[in-house]
């Protein structure tokens, strides 16, 4: 079975500081990887995804993530955060081969950006 | 519609009552998912529909939970004899590529409170 672990439940950071949100996954088969963001009182939206190719993936709002197969990680980074980045961030995996296509999500990381 | 629509947005019910939550996916999306979001629990997969295939019900927590999708479009999640532990936000998502490589589009959720 697949699982996703987000190592930090809460990450407080000051505005314009860099941030890294950590995600590790476990799977016996190859997976696709995703980061979703949920702004306060809104639905989830896709931030970025890794399907194949370059292990460094760029997403919306200046975020990027790097797939590290040997460490089974897909950490999310941003060099300089804004107040508006305050949200909950979810890492997710899905199986490449036909297993239903569902996403398995981590428990989320609450990013709080302070002025 | 333009996005995934869920109703009701809020539902308060008494323990033991049945509830129905509705999801109207994006037109043309063949895949539909239900997830549950509880405080500190992340997003828990419940059920997945893909076209005319048998649904993946592997995430339903008990036989009190059921879901159907009529005409390949609207879906209803039914919880019978609700319990307090059923209190959560129930999220619906749809996708045009079975979720394996595509993006899931989420509704804003139905918040269920069981008193």
């Amino acid at each position: 079975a697949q699982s996703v672990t987000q190592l930090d439940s809460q990450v407080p950071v000051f505005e314009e500081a860099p941030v890294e949100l950590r995600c590790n996954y476990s799977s016996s088969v190859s997976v696709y990887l995703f980061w979703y963001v949920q702004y306060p009182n809104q639905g989830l939206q896709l931030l970025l995804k890794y399907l194949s190719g370059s292990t460094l993936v760029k997403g919306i709002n200046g975020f990027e993530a790097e797939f590290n197969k040997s460490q089974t990680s897909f950490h999310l980074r941003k060099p300089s955060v804004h107040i508006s980045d305050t949200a909950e961030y979810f890492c997710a995996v899905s199986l490449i081969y036909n297993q239903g296509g569902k996403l398995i999500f981590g428990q989320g990381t609450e990013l709080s950006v302070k002025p | 519609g333009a996005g995934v629509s869920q109703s009701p947005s809020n539902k308060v019910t008494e323990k033991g009552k049945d509830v129905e939550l509705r999801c109207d996916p994006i037109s043309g999306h063949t895949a539909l998912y239900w997830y549950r979001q509880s405080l500190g629990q992340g997003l828990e997969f419940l059920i997945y529909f893909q076209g005319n295939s048998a649904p993946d019900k592997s995430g339903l927590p008990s036989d009190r939970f059921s879901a159907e999708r009529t005409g390949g479009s609207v879906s209803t999640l039914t919880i019978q004899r609700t319990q307090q532990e059923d209190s959560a936000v129930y999220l619906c998502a749809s996708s045009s590529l079975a979720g394996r490589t595509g993006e899931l589009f989420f509704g804003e959720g139905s918040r269920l409170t069981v008193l």
Side-chain angles (χ1 to χ4, degrees), chain A residues 32 36 38 100-103, chain B residues 35 37 48 58 98 100-101 104:
Chain A
Y32 296 133
Y36 279 78
Q38 185 177 32
K102 66 192 182 194
L103 295 191
Chain B
Y35 286 85
Q37 185 175 18
Y48 159 69
S58 61
R100 288 175 301 194
T101 61
L104 265 62

Side-chain angles (χ1 to χ4, degrees), chain A residues 2 13 32 53 64 66 68 74 76 83 85 88 98 110:
Chain A
Q2 299 72 46
V13 64
Y32 296 133
E64 63 182 30
E66 185 157 20
N68 187 320
F74 191 54
L76 181 70
I83 299 287
D85 293 324
E88 188 148 23
N98 185 13
E110 187 178 334

Side-chain angles (χ1 to χ4, degrees), chain A residues 32 34 36 38 41 43-44 46 49 51 90 94-96 98 100-103 105-107, chain B residues 33 35 37 40-43 45 48 56 58 91 98-104 106-108:
Chain A
Y32 296 133
F34 304 81
Y36 279 78
Q38 185 177 32
N41 301 313
L44 277 82
L46 182 69
K49 61 185 176 185
L51 305 180
F90 293 93
S94 69
L95 298 182
I96 289 179
N98 185 13
K102 66 192 182 194
L103 295 191
F105 286 86
Q107 294 187 329
Chain B
Y33 310 77
Y35 286 85
Q37 185 175 18
Q41 299 296 316
L43 274 76
F45 167 78
Y48 159 69
D56 176 354
S58 61
L91 296 172
R100 288 175 301 194
T101 61
E103 175 179 352
L104 265 62
F106 283 83
E108 295 191 357

Side-chain angles (χ1 to χ4, degrees), chain B residues 11-27:
Chain B
K11 175 73 176 178
V12 180
T13 191
E14 294 179 347
K15 178 181 173 181
K17 296 284 181 67
D18 297 352
V19 296
E20 286 189 349
L21 307 177
R22 175 189 167 102
C23 174
D24 201 341
I26 292 172
S27 178

